Amino acid sequence: MTGRIKNEVNRAVQALRSLDRQVVCILAIVPLLVIAQESLGSRTLFREHLGPLLPQQWRGLAAWGWWFGMQGILGFVLPVLLLTTVFKQKPSQIGLGLGDWKLAVFLAAIYVPAVAIGTWFLSSSPEFQSKYPHYGPASFDWMVFVIYELLFLFYWVGWEYLWRGFMLFGTARVFGLYAIFIQTIPFALLHLNKPLPETILSVIGGIALGALVWRCRSFWIAVPIHAVQMLILDLWCALRSRSGINGTGLTDLMQVLGIN
C-alpha cells in the first residue's frame, strides 16, 4: 500500500513538473479575477460601504465608475504586472505592442460603419433599450452620458486584456491558435445575462476578436472596437429613449437624430 501511494505521488510530481507554470498560473488566476470582480467590484458593495461618503446625486454614477475601475485594475493592471514582473515577459510578447497597427486601423474603419448599422436595428428592441446604457440616467443627461462612457473606456481596457491579452497571449506558448477558442469560452459564458442575440453573438465576437488580436499581435485593437460598439449602441438606445421612436426606417433615423 505504501509503495503504491509513493508511486502515485511520484507520478503526480512528474506531471506537475511537465506543466508550463505560466499557463497554469494564468488558467488558475483568470477565474479568481472574475470572482474578485463580481465581489470586490460589486456595485452593491460600493453602495453599502462607499456610496454614503458621496453626495446623493453622484452615488449612482460612482457605483458604475467603481465597477468599471475595478475591471480595469483586475483585468489589466494586475495581469500586466504578473506577466512582466513574475514571468519576465516583454510588452510585445503579451499583446501590449502596436503590432500591425495599419491593418488594425483599416479593419476598424470597415467594422465601425457595420456596427453602427447593426446596433441601429438592435436598439429598436425594448429589451435592449431597457439595458443600455446600463446607467439609466445617462440616457437623458448628455453630461452624465459622456462621463459614463469615459469611465466605461477603462472597463474595456481591463475586460479586453483579461481575455485577448492575458489569457490569449499568456497561454499561446502551449495552446497556439487554440488559445483563440479557449479564451472565447469564459468570455461567452459571461454574456449569459445579456439579451439572447447578444449572448449568441458573443461566441462569434469572441472568436473574431481573438483572431484579430492574434493577427495584429496587439490587444489594443480590441479596445476601440468593443468600446465603440457599446458606445454606439448606448447612443442609439439613449436617442430612442428620448424620442420614443422604435422604427428602423430612414425617416425614423432622421427623427431620432433630430433632423427635420
Side-chain angles (χ1 to χ4, degrees), residues 77-148:
V77 177
L78 293 184
V80 168
L81 287 175
L82 177 67
L83 290 175
T84 56
T85 60
V86 176
F87 294 107
K88 307 301 180 182
Q89 296 289 293
K90 297 178 180 179
S92 60
Q93 293 176 305
I94 56 176
L96 295 177
L98 290 178
D100 191 344
W101 66 270
K102 292 182 179 179
L103 174 62
V105 170
F106 172 73
L107 293 176
I110 297 174
Y111 181 76
V112 170
V115 163
I117 296 171
T119 53
W120 164 250
F121 287 96
L122 288 176
S123 68
S124 66
S125 166
E127 185 178 9
F128 274 84
Q129 292 174 35
S130 67
K131 283 184 172 290
Y132 301 105
H134 293 308
Y135 181 55
S139 292
F140 303 97
D141 187 320
W142 289 125
M143 179 61 71
V144 172
F145 183 90
V146 170
I147 295 173
Y148 169 83

Side-chain angles (χ1 to χ4, degrees), residues 107-123 128 131-134 145 148-149 152-153 155-156 159-160 164 187 191 194-195 197-210 212 220-238:
L107 293 176
I110 297 174
Y111 181 76
V112 170
V115 163
I117 296 171
T119 53
W120 164 250
F121 287 96
L122 288 176
S123 68
F128 274 84
K131 283 184 172 290
Y132 301 105
H134 293 308
F145 183 90
Y148 169 83
E149 294 296 339
F152 212 167
L153 184 59
Y155 170 92
W156 289 122
W159 175 259
E160 284 303 323
R164 258 68 71 176
F187 172 75
H191 283 75
K194 302 294 185 180
E198 185 176 353
T199 302
I200 296 173
L201 287 172
S202 70
V203 178
I204 300 172
I207 295 173
L209 279 173
L212 175 61
W220 292 112
I221 179 58
V223 176
I225 280 183
H226 215 155
V228 168
Q229 174 180 305
M230 187 55 62
L231 170 63
I232 296 175
L233 178 59
D234 282 347
L235 181 60
W236 286 139
C237 288

Side-chain angles (χ1 to χ4, degrees), residues 11 19 29 32 38 41 48 82 91 104 107 134 140 144 173 191 214 226:
R11 291 182 64 181
L19 297 175
I29 286 178
L32 293 177
E38 292 295 323
E48 292 178 352
L82 177 67
L107 293 176
H134 293 308
F140 303 97
V144 172
R173 58 199 286 169
H191 283 75
W214 181 280
H226 215 155

Side-chain angles (χ1 to χ4, degrees), residues 157-187:
V157 173
W159 175 259
E160 284 303 323
Y161 193 75
L162 182 62
W163 310 117
R164 258 68 71 176
F166 189 50
M167 197 168 182
L168 179 63
F169 288 110
T171 65
R173 58 199 286 169
V174 169
F175 299 126
L177 282 170
Y178 292 108
I180 295 173
F181 300 92
I182 292 172
Q183 59 85 32
T184 298
I185 297 173
F187 172 75

